[in-house]
Amino acid sequence: MVSERESEICLSKFSQTLQTTMAAASPVEACTAEEMLDPEQNGRAERVQWVLNAPEPPGLWQELMDSIRETAFPHGNNFLSLQKQPTTHAISVLQGIFPILQWCRNYKATKFKKDLMAGLTLASLSIPQSIGYATLAKLDPQFGLYTSAIPPLIYALMGTSREIAIGPVAVVSLLISSMVPKLEDPVDNPIAYRKLVFTATFLAGIFQAAFALLRLGFLVDFLSHAALVGFMAGAAVVIGLQQLKGLLGITHFTNKTDVISVLEAVWRSFHHTWSPYNFILGCSFLSFILITRFVGRRNKKLFWLPAIAPLVSVILSTLIVFLTRADKHGVKVVKHIKGGLNPSSVHQLQFTGPHTGEIAKIGLIVAIIALTEAIAVGRSFASIKGYHLDGNKEMVALGIMNIAGSLTSCYVATGSFSRSAVNFSAGCETAISNIVMAITVLISLQFFTKLLYFTPTAILASIILSAIPGLIDISEAYKIWKVDKLDFLACIGAFLGVLFGSVEIGLLVALTISFAKIILNAIRPGIETLGRLPGTNMFCDVDQYPMAITSPGVLIVRVKSALLCFANANFVRERIMMWVTEEAEDNKGSAKGRNQLVVLDMSNLMNIDTSGIASLEEVHKQLVSQGMELAIANPRWQVIHKLKLAKFVNKIGGRVFLSVAEAVDECSTIKILTTI
């Protein structure tokens, strides 16, 4: 930190200019000018001291410890308070980990009635969807039901969303079925396949919890909204094509997910014997589900109709197949579904072997996609209800529930938008609706799985197909196109990558375009010239505000970047000097005269590295060689601290100001004194 003596030396240059000017004037004139300008100058000098003598900012280690302390003690408690009030602190920590302990104290019977109805309605939709999504993930049907039992119970204890419905979802099921079969074939070796799925689920939970504990939630944001829209749409088309296997009753089908391979498999199947009854049955009930959804949207009082339509479809189709013995005429059925509560899968986790690295990669990808979908769903409903969703607690809850799920024969669970919408429409008040749903699923596992023996696979395909329109948001894609063309490029890149390549390729394309956009903005930030808005002390971009007035003899520039670093330092230096040269050419022969001062507005700049400081030093040298000076205005905490350590403040003569207006006013003051 610059000492007070050093600060006085830095500021003395202005005083010397003032004294020299006063000496050249008459005594009376000098006295008058001094009396007129001293109060204002003293005020500026004091404000400069505020900037230069700010406390030292926290270091990297302190920021890391603060982050850990904030995670461990979310309500601002510390170890000292733990010693003084251990009981109160323990209760506070438990409420932070388990939010249900906080809101359950005010839970009333009226709320339970609503949650009970919402939970039962949710279960009627969740049971058939879970069976369908398990088949999409190339697992036995009971694993989808397992995933709708344990994870919702864990989330209800630890989550902060009231409306989100936890369970298996289409996109995550597709991710698993497209990546894990490359390591183990689910048909030839189903046991090894399940072990890898459970291991990937465990690692996904570890990653999700780690994102919260290490404050790495920003990694989820690298999958931008535009990329997610394109990815979801591409995944929806792929999921729909995958359901042609069940809808047409195809026996031999490709493991690839790209549209060309799937269409080739469908075309080849027409040359073999196949039963049209699967297609007729599936399309009939698909039409029934879509019609009930249309009716439910037109009449809000009938919200329960589309919710129970999938379960009604399963019951009716099962009865039809059982009574007509359609399974003897080519209609494919689910057959045996193992009943009973979730068995332990602890012994099935594999952390050694040739596929460990690949499984870790799959776990990371699935963790990010599941987190992104769950937080997006939770925030959308939280904004409608008007309460805050704690993203950090959500990541912890999702991580812990997937870790627990991997130990109880579940695969990756997350928040489902379609089921959450049903839960919201059914009038749920709290996460108790998830508990009701989970208990209903457990009861079904224990007593009713044998009744699903004759359920046709075409019905499961139709249930999944009915959920696809909700994953494709054409209006949002059009909005992205209108607002930001680079964002739309990421959107369409993810869509085409998933459609014609694979899920991994779609994600890679989306992330590559998103990173390219970030890097492009970082290495080539814009530079803007500022002018004073009439009647104010605000300085804004003269291109955005044509009425802004530039100050004679002063060039004010601002870098449109939060970081001045090795990646953009040379570019910024060149652009600043280019602006200076252009201004000098424009001012030749004009009434404004040449610029004497260049003010660099640092209000946007959050941090700077040694390359950035070196570029500023080079700018200062070039300006001095041209008879101009450099001043900086409104530097941020980290920036001014590093500039003082590098002695840059001394090199520019202490011309550091709290605002652009004060920098311009000083230049004007010097001009006035020079003319006295």
Side-chain angles (χ1 to χ4, degrees):
M1 182 180 295
V2 179
S3 65
E4 185 176 345
R5 175 60 181 164
E6 289 174 331
S7 301
E8 292 175 356
I9 294 174
C10 293
L11 292 171
S12 63
K13 293 194 174 183
F14 180 82
S15 300
Q16 291 173 5
T17 305
L18 182 65
Q19 291 171 3
T20 304
T21 308
M22 295 301 163
S26 65
V28 176
E29 291 173 333
C31 181
T32 305
E34 186 177 355
E35 289 175 354
M36 177 180 64
L37 295 176
D38 268 354
E40 182 180 354
Q41 175 58 26
N42 290 336
R44 284 190 205 143
E46 183 181 2
R47 288 189 288 274
V48 169
Q49 291 297 323
W50 295 349
V51 179
L52 293 177
N53 294 331
E56 188 170 334
L60 180 62
W61 176 253
Q62 185 178 345
E63 289 181 349
L64 179 61
M65 294 303 296
D66 289 343
S67 177
I68 296 174
R69 189 179 298 110
E70 184 180 349
T71 303
F73 306 100
H75 298 287
N77 297 302
N78 51 40
F79 293 105
L80 184 59
S81 65
L82 177 61
Q83 294 174 356
K84 291 181 177 179
Q85 298 176 327
T87 305
T88 304
H89 182 83
I91 293 174
S92 179
V93 170
L94 285 175
Q95 288 178 347
I97 298 174
F98 302 104
I100 191 174
L101 298 177
Q102 190 169 3
W103 55 259
C104 71
R105 293 178 298 178
N106 300 320
Y107 195 70
K108 298 178 181 179
T110 53
K111 289 186 177 182
F112 177 71
K113 182 180 178 181
K114 293 181 179 179
D115 285 335
L116 178 63
M117 295 304 299
L120 293 174
T121 306
L122 193 57
S124 67
L125 175 62
S126 179
I127 290 172
Q129 276 195 354
S130 299
I131 295 173
Y133 291 150
T135 59
L136 177 60
K138 299 183 179 178
L139 293 166
D140 294 333
Q142 65 268 18
F143 292 103
L145 295 175
Y146 294 157
T147 307
S148 291
I150 300 301
L153 292 175
I154 302 296
Y155 180 85
L157 299 176
M158 304 185 67
T160 58
S161 175
R162 304 169 192 168
E163 295 81 20
I164 195 169
I166 298 296
V169 296
V171 174
V172 171
S173 300
L174 175 66
L175 285 170
I176 290 174
S177 65
S178 64
M179 293 189 288
V180 181
K182 296 177 182 179
L183 308 178
E184 287 289 352
D185 193 293
V187 178
D188 297 338
N189 198 350
I191 296 177
Y193 178 79
R194 284 200 301 270
K195 289 181 178 180
L196 293 182
V197 171
F198 294 152
T199 306
T201 301
F202 180 85
L203 293 175
I206 292 292
F207 283 125
Q208 289 171 335
F211 289 161
L213 296 176
L214 299 178
R215 288 292 193 268
L216 298 177
F218 66 90
L219 293 176
V220 178
D221 296 330
F222 280 122
L223 190 61
S224 66
H225 171 69
L228 189 62
V229 169
F231 173 79
M232 297 287 277
V237 175
V238 170
I239 291 168
L241 293 173
Q242 290 283 322
Q243 299 318 300
L244 292 176
K245 176 183 178 181
L247 200 63
L248 300 175
I250 300 173
T251 303
H252 301 288
F253 203 70
T254 179
N255 286 329
K256 297 180 179 179
T257 59
D258 63 283
V259 61
I260 296 175
S261 299
V262 172
L263 291 178
E264 284 180 356
V266 173
W267 177 255
R268 286 195 302 267
S269 69
F270 286 121
H271 296 82
H272 299 84
T273 304
W274 66 286
S275 173
Y277 298 122
N278 291 285
F279 182 75
I280 295 172
L281 197 62
C283 287
S284 299
F285 281 98
L286 175 60
S287 301
F288 168 69
I289 294 171
L290 293 178
I291 290 172
T292 58
R293 183 174 297 170
F294 175 77
V295 172
R297 287 178 178 174
R298 293 294 298 269
N299 189 346
K300 298 299 183 182
K301 294 182 179 180
L302 298 177
F303 68 89
W304 51 269
L305 188 59
I308 66 170
L311 185 60
V312 172
S313 300
V314 169
I315 295 172
L316 291 179
S317 63
T318 303
L319 286 174
I320 291 172
V321 173
F322 175 73
L323 295 175
T324 61
R325 303 302 296 176
D327 57 316
K328 302 294 185 182
H329 301 281
V331 174
K332 295 185 177 297
V333 296
V334 173
K335 296 183 179 180
H336 178 68
I337 297 180
K338 184 180 178 182
L341 303 180
N342 294 40
S344 173
S345 56
V346 177
H347 59 285
Q348 298 189 51
L349 300 180
Q350 290 184 335
F351 301 110
T352 58
H355 304 311
T356 304
E358 288 295 320
I359 285 297
K361 183 189 77 171
I362 294 171
L364 178 61
I365 294 173
V366 171
I368 292 176
I369 296 296
L371 269 181
T372 304
E373 183 171 359
I375 292 177
V377 170
R379 283 176 176 168
S380 63
F381 287 105
S383 63
I384 295 173
K385 283 290 191 73
Y387 67 90
H388 173 67
L389 187 76
D390 192 325
N392 201 54
K393 290 182 181 178
E394 286 296 291
M395 288 188 282
V396 172
L398 292 167
I400 297 299
M401 81 177 187
N402 278 317
I403 292 173
S406 68
L407 305 178
T408 53
S409 301
C410 305
Y411 71 99
V412 179
T414 187
S416 165
F417 187 84
S418 61
R419 294 197 295 274
S420 299
V422 169
N423 196 27
F424 174 78
S425 300
C428 74
E429 291 287 340
T430 66
I432 294 295
S433 60
N434 269 295
I435 297 178
V436 173
M437 179 199 70
I439 293 173
T440 306
V441 172
L442 288 172
I443 293 172
S444 301
L445 274 167
Q446 188 68 27
F447 300 107
F448 302 125
T449 53
K450 292 180 180 180
L451 301 178
L452 300 175
Y453 182 91
F454 290 100
T455 301
T457 57
I459 294 303
L460 302 180
S462 66
I463 291 172
I464 295 176
L465 284 169
S466 68
I468 284 177
L471 299 176
I472 302 175
D473 196 341
I474 298 176
S475 62
E476 187 64 21
Y478 178 72
K479 178 182 175 182
I480 293 170
W481 162 258
K482 295 287 288 183
V483 173
D484 193 321
K485 299 300 187 290
L486 274 178
D487 266 359
F488 182 78
L489 184 62
C491 176
I492 200 68
F495 176 77
L496 296 177
V498 172
L499 205 59
F500 293 101
S502 63
V503 173
E504 301 99 304
I505 291 176
L507 284 173
L508 182 63
V509 170
L511 289 173
T512 300
I513 295 174
S514 298
F515 270 110
K517 181 181 177 182
I518 294 173
I519 294 172
L520 184 63
N521 290 332
I523 65 176
R524 298 182 67 84
I527 306 289
E528 55 191 16
T529 304
L530 306 184
R532 190 195 298 262
L533 293 180
T536 72
N537 275 331
M538 296 176 60
F539 287 78
C540 302
D541 183 8
V542 294
D543 293 328
Q544 182 179 0
Y545 298 93
M547 73 289 299
I549 303 170
T550 57
S551 302
V554 182
L555 174 63
I556 310 164
V557 294
R558 179 166 61 200
V559 181
K560 294 190 285 187
S561 174
L563 180 64
L564 185 58
C565 62
F566 65 93
N568 58 18
N570 286 330
F571 177 80
V572 170
R573 175 180 57 80
E574 292 171 0
R575 289 297 301 272
I576 291 176
M577 294 312 302
M578 182 185 73
W579 275 104
V580 171
T581 303
E582 289 179 356
E583 285 287 325
E585 293 293 332
D586 293 341
N587 292 339
K588 277 185 178 179
S590 68
K592 290 184 178 181
R594 62 188 300 276
N595 289 320
Q596 299 175 351
L597 181 68
V598 175
V599 179
L600 184 58
D601 181 6
M602 290 188 165
S603 56
N604 286 346
L605 205 60
M606 296 294 107
N607 213 331
I608 191 171
D609 68 0
T610 54
S611 298
I613 296 174
S615 69
L616 292 181
E617 291 176 345
E618 184 64 25
V619 167
H620 177 243
K621 289 179 182 178
Q622 293 183 27
L623 290 176
V624 171
S625 66
Q626 297 180 28
M628 289 179 280
E629 296 292 347
L630 176 66
I632 58 177
N634 196 15
R636 298 297 182 174
W637 199 6
Q638 292 283 356
V639 175
I640 190 61
H641 177 66
K642 292 182 179 180
L643 292 179
K644 288 191 296 183
L645 291 177
K647 305 298 183 183
F648 180 75
V649 174
N650 294 342
K651 293 177 183 178
I652 62 173
R655 282 181 291 275
V656 180
F657 300 94
L658 193 61
S659 66
V660 174
E662 292 198 351
V664 174
D665 290 343
E666 178 183 345
C667 182
S668 302
T669 301
I670 294 176
K671 284 185 175 182
I672 292 172
L673 295 176
T674 305
T675 58
I676 294 176

